[in-house]
Amino acid sequence: MTPLIAPSLLAADFTRLHEEIDLVNRSDADWLHLDVMDGRFVPNISFGMSIIKAVNGICTKPLDVHLMIVEPEKYIESFRDAGADVITVHIEACPHLHRTLQQIHDTGAKAGVAVNPHTPVQHLEDVLEDIDLVCLMSVNPGFGGQKFIYRTLEKIRQLKQMITERNLSTKIEIDGGVGLQNAAAILSAGADVLVAGSSVFRAEDPLQAISRLKQCGQESLLV
Ligand code: DX5
Ligand code: ZN
């Protein structure tokens, strides 16, 4: 299984944004992951739709927008207009998750649900059919460069089983602390998409880091 690789722009050098996006365009990456933080749902503030709109103008890869914000339903259409192809909301921020997923689908975007480390994957039981992507947080959201929480591997296996039993094509994305040291284990547990911030943009050779993550799909068969 060849995984999808989604470099996270949060770890890029913002003074050289154009070059960093050009690099992603030239790479084996499949998506570009964009972390939106509001200082309320998470204790950090990143960027919003105007930056995403500018990125959309120069990025040739689909934009995977991860909303770490409260009341995301207020901004779904704006993020879609800015160029989001996948819009992911947090289960912990959505009291009416089913309605929010419908709202995302109505815009024509793919709908993702992100799950914090403390939230059991079983909480997705009644909406799994309505989700294109589950983003399992393998760190507490808010910052790049944190350590991978290994309990996530068990959550991947449980979620994969739920998806397989129902014959769904929901993708499992892993976000936080992903790198060459753990990618094969994550993929053999059942993940489909790897988000990678620091391990790509802080690598000596980011193009090679992306290619090597992509090749981990082959290695994972041996784990
Ligand atoms: C964390 C973000 C991640 C972050 C990953 O809140 O959702 O996407 O950019 O960064 P690394 O790969 O450095 O852990
Ligand atoms: Zn993210």
Side-chain angles (χ1 to χ4, degrees), residues 155-168:
K155 291 175 79 173
I156 300 172
R157 284 189 276 270
Q158 290 174 4
L159 179 60
K160 185 71 180 179
Q161 194 180 343
M162 286 161 64
I163 292 169
T164 315
E165 274 170 8
R166 296 163 187 224
N167 228 342
L168 299 173

Side-chain angles (χ1 to χ4, degrees), residues 34-177:
L34 295 151
D35 289 306
V36 178
M37 304 179 184
D38 66 352
R40 292 187 62 209
F41 181 70
V42 288
N44 197 6
I45 299 178
S46 58
F47 47 77
M49 38 287 235
S50 57
I51 297 284
I52 293 180
K53 195 168 180 188
V55 168
N56 187 43
I58 52 174
C59 186
T60 57
K61 311 275 177 170
L63 303 186
D64 175 33
V65 175
H66 177 191
L67 299 181
M68 284 163 272
I69 63 176
V70 298
E71 300 180 336
E73 64 280 357
K74 287 188 180 169
Y75 307 102
I76 303 294
E77 285 76 17
S78 309
F79 280 108
R80 177 62 175 162
D81 289 346
D85 295 286
V86 183
I87 300 179
T88 296
V89 294
H90 266 263
I91 188 170
E92 301 86 3
C94 293
H96 304 287
L97 181 61
H98 187 270
R99 181 187 291 152
T100 306
L101 292 171
Q102 262 177 347
Q103 198 189 338
I104 297 173
H105 280 140
D106 285 346
T107 69
K110 298 267 185 229
V113 176
V115 168
N116 275 341
H118 76 278
T119 303
V121 292
Q122 287 74 14
H123 287 195
L124 297 167
E125 285 277 3
D126 294 309
V127 278
L128 204 51
E129 270 80 3
D130 306 290
I131 305 177
D132 301 298
L133 175 90
V134 176
C135 174
L136 291 183
M137 293 309 303
S138 39
V139 297
N140 285 294
F143 303 92
Q146 302 181 75
K147 251 181 90 192
F148 183 83
I149 298 170
Y150 271 86
R151 164 77 194 164
T152 313
L153 294 178
E154 183 51 29
K155 291 175 79 173
I156 300 172
R157 284 189 276 270
Q158 290 174 4
L159 179 60
K160 185 71 180 179
Q161 194 180 343
M162 286 161 64
I163 292 169
T164 315
E165 274 170 8
R166 296 163 187 224
N167 228 342
L168 299 173
S169 53
T170 319
K171 287 189 176 8
I172 303 177
E173 176 178 70
I174 307 305
D175 189 6

